[in-house]
Amino acid sequence: MTTPSPRKVALVTGAARGIGLAVAKRFLAEGYNVALLDIENDLLRASVAALNDPANTLALHADVADAAAVAAAFAAAQARFGRLDALVNNAGIAVFKPLLDTTQAEWQRVMDVNLTGPFLCTQAAAPLMREHGGGAIVNITSISALRASTLRTAYGTSKAGLAHLTKQFAVELATLGIRVNAVAPGPVETAMAKAVHTPAIRADYHDTIPLNRYGGEDELADAVFFLCSPRASYITGQMLAVDGGFEATGIGLPTLRRDGSNG
């Protein structure tokens, strides 16, 4: 029988880079053991090695849309650390294409990763959290869950579904002492944003974000950790937009409307 870790334990999906890796680092800094799960095995191993904390980290190679792989990953985390206190469903993919160019296979894969993945991971996490009196789950949705935009038919719909799934989880898991909330990032300085946001799109975002800048990965990690911490003990079923006020403006991006560029 596994002896539970004296430290709290967090599992973060999509943790090999970007927001997920920033979240993992924040949990480590707060004294947690952290299991980092990602589909990109080589990048995952390199990221975990770079953390240079082998006693308190665990790399889990898995596709969150694969039920058997998810079950095996959570069993490995349980075997290593003996408990689970926080789950961050961050793994996600995006297809930025016009509706008429989006294939059924692309649509399905986005739904499988962005919606079915958190469903499977939460099903696997809840029994482990229940063993130690509860825990906290944070789903990473998107501003695209709150407002429609060009080229996001699959992505935006999957994130809107995840926003509602957050509420379903919160209602059903409350009796187990498990809180479930969501963080909706606005434009964030990630590798993906740097790759696909043209100068014109970046200028549009700056014009429509009241705080007039992109967010930082560490700022997202701060919000996620807060929702998992005792300071959020009476918060469940909520979605926190971490977006510099972008969603509140209600204004679309003129560059995207004008020429259909990637966003």
Side-chain angles (χ1 to χ4, degrees):
M1 183 175 179
T2 303
T3 301
S5 169
R7 297 161 63 109
K8 287 188 175 182
V9 178
L11 191 152
V12 183
T13 72
R17 72 174 87 206
I19 294 170
L21 183 56
V23 169
K25 290 178 178 177
R26 179 59 193 271
F27 276 108
L28 277 174
E30 296 288 343
Y32 279 64
N33 291 137
V34 182
L36 297 87
L37 185 152
D38 207 283
I39 195 172
E40 296 189 52
N41 193 31
D42 291 344
L43 181 61
L44 172 65
R45 303 293 169 180
S47 295
V48 172
L51 293 174
N52 195 29
D53 194 357
N56 298 309
T57 56
L58 174 66
L60 299 170
H61 176 225
D63 179 353
V64 295
D66 182 333
V70 167
F74 278 77
Q78 172 74 352
R80 171 70 182 277
F81 296 127
R83 61 185 294 163
L84 183 63
D85 301 277
L87 167 66
V88 181
N89 284 311
N90 171 70
I93 61 171
V95 174
F96 294 135
K97 295 173 68 174
L99 165 63
L100 298 183
D101 295 336
T102 303
T103 68
Q104 183 177 349
E106 289 170 333
W107 166 272
Q108 191 60 58
R109 181 59 179 165
V110 171
M111 295 299 161
D112 288 346
V113 174
N114 295 3
L115 194 53
T116 301
F119 169 78
L120 294 173
C121 289
T122 299
Q123 275 196 325
L128 305 183
M129 292 181 175
R130 177 178 56 193
E131 291 181 11
H132 296 277
I137 298 171
V138 173
N139 296 322
I140 305 301
T141 59
S142 170
I143 287 304
S144 293
L146 301 171
R147 53 186 292 179
S149 183
T150 311
L151 310 179
R152 285 168 167 79
T153 298
Y155 179 74
T157 302
S158 71
K159 292 298 189 178
L162 183 56
H164 185 74
L165 193 59
T166 298
K167 294 182 180 181
Q168 293 288 158
F169 287 160
V171 170
E172 294 202 23
L173 297 179
T175 56
L176 304 182
I178 299 171
R179 297 182 299 101
V180 188
N181 293 289
V183 166
V188 178
E189 287 286 10
T190 62
M192 183 174 71
K194 291 174 183 177
V196 304
H197 288 185
T198 65
I201 289 172
R202 294 183 73 89
D204 285 344
Y205 274 126
H206 279 265
D207 286 344
T208 56
I209 296 171
L211 292 185
N212 194 35
R213 65 177 177 86
Y214 280 46
E217 293 170 347
D218 289 345
E219 291 175 303
L220 270 296
D222 287 342
V224 170
F225 184 78
F226 164 71
L227 288 173
C228 291
S229 76
R231 294 192 175 194
S233 58
Y234 199 50
I235 301 173
T236 196
Q238 302 302 306
M239 182 156 63
L240 174 62
V242 184
D243 67 347
F246 179 49
E247 193 272 332
T249 66
I251 300 171
L253 299 182
T255 296
L256 292 181
R257 294 198 306 270
R258 182 170 58 249
D259 62 15
S261 299
N262 285 343

